[in-house]
Amino acid sequence: MRAAAISTPRLDKMPGMFFSTNAKELKETDHSLLDDKTHKKRPKTFGMDVKAYLRSMIPHLESGIKPSKSKDILSVNEVMQWSQSLEKLLANQIGQDVFGNFLKSEFSEENLEFWLACEDYKKTESHLLHCKAEKIYKAFVHSDAAKQINIDFHTREATAKKIKAPNPTCFDEAQKIIYTLMEKDSYPRFLKSNMYLNLLNELQANSLK
């Protein structure tokens, strides 16, 4: 039986250190982005098969990997580029997913979720800004938020004021703080983690076959 083709969401790169997702995808995922979903368990071992690893780690690729196309899904060069900067890591959809799983292992996935929510927000149509700003604020910024991000009191208060008259830049200050936090804290640990190193080693080994 022929495996069904699975398309991987793309992340279009914008100037600077932030990236924006496709506008059509934003409308489709608007209501699900901030939902408190039940995450799949991380695999205990990576195994010797890169395709099996990707199936378990990347939901978008669970059933559509063809052996002849495995190198097109993720290359050694791509994974090596993730170590150049957090910007390059987040510009790659699979990199986003793998980094997100690493953050879950450290119980800090709210940082990436907030950053992605802000990227989504920037592309929101003007008449929807108020509704989406409130959702993001309640989910991540409010002092009682279930996924409260680690920002200072001044930024938290300033953001609360900005969303009363929302515009696309309401969360920029908080987003930059969280980006820097990931860049200086979680990202270096990710590059030293077994999650990243095992994936890179497996891809390198498979490329020699």
Side-chain angles (χ1 to χ4, degrees):
M1 182 178 292
R2 182 176 299 174
I6 300 297
S7 59
T8 303
R10 296 181 59 188
L11 194 69
D12 298 324
K13 187 172 181 182
M14 294 180 63
M17 69 178 180
F18 299 121
F19 311 91
S20 298
T21 52
N22 182 275
K24 181 178 179 181
E25 292 173 354
L26 297 179
K27 294 180 180 178
E28 296 174 350
T29 59
D30 180 22
H31 298 295
S32 62
L33 182 61
L34 302 178
D35 291 341
D36 190 11
K37 298 179 179 178
T38 301
H39 300 292
K40 295 182 179 180
K41 293 182 179 180
R42 293 179 296 109
K44 295 181 180 179
T45 61
F46 291 92
M48 298 304 294
D49 187 347
V50 174
K51 294 187 292 298
Y53 169 76
L54 290 175
R55 286 192 191 97
S56 62
M57 287 291 291
I58 314 301
H60 309 296
L61 302 176
E62 280 183 343
S63 61
I65 296 178
K66 297 179 180 179
S68 62
K69 297 293 183 180
S70 60
K71 291 183 180 180
D72 296 331
I73 295 169
L74 192 63
S75 69
V76 173
N77 184 54
E78 283 180 293
V79 176
M80 291 183 69
Q81 285 182 5
W82 297 354
S83 67
Q84 295 177 11
S85 67
L86 178 58
E87 181 179 356
K88 287 186 179 293
L89 173 63
L90 296 182
N92 183 283
Q93 180 62 53
I94 297 179
Q96 256 187 49
D97 292 335
V98 176
F99 185 54
N101 274 278
F102 173 75
L103 293 180
K104 288 173 192 174
S105 74
E106 294 200 331
F107 305 100
S108 60
E109 64 268 25
E110 71 278 357
N111 291 329
L112 181 59
E113 289 177 9
F114 172 70
W115 185 85
L116 290 172
C118 290
E119 292 301 288
D120 178 6
Y121 177 77
K122 291 176 184 178
K123 301 296 292 184
T124 302
E125 296 177 8
S126 58
H127 68 285
L128 297 175
L129 283 175
H130 187 271
C131 179
K132 188 171 288 187
E134 292 244 338
K135 287 182 180 180
I136 295 174
Y137 178 78
K138 290 179 180 178
F140 299 104
V141 183
H142 192 277
S143 58
D144 294 326
K147 299 181 179 181
Q148 185 187 113
I149 53 172
N150 185 16
I151 55 176
D152 59 272
F153 176 80
H154 170 75
T155 303
R156 200 178 303 278
E157 291 297 301
T159 303
K161 292 178 181 179
K162 289 176 182 178
I163 68 168
K164 292 179 180 179
N167 62 61
T169 65
C170 279
F171 296 99
D172 279 8
E173 185 178 358
Q175 187 184 20
K176 288 177 182 177
I177 291 174
I178 294 305
Y179 182 95
T180 301
L181 180 63
M182 291 192 293
E183 185 177 43
K184 303 295 184 184
D185 186 38
S186 304
Y187 175 62
R189 287 199 301 275
F190 168 71
L191 296 180
K192 296 177 182 177
S193 70
N194 289 334
M195 187 176 291
Y196 174 71
L197 295 176
N198 285 358
L199 175 59
L200 180 59
N201 289 338
E202 288 179 9
L203 286 170
Q204 289 175 329
N206 276 265
S207 68
L208 299 176
K209 292 181 180 179

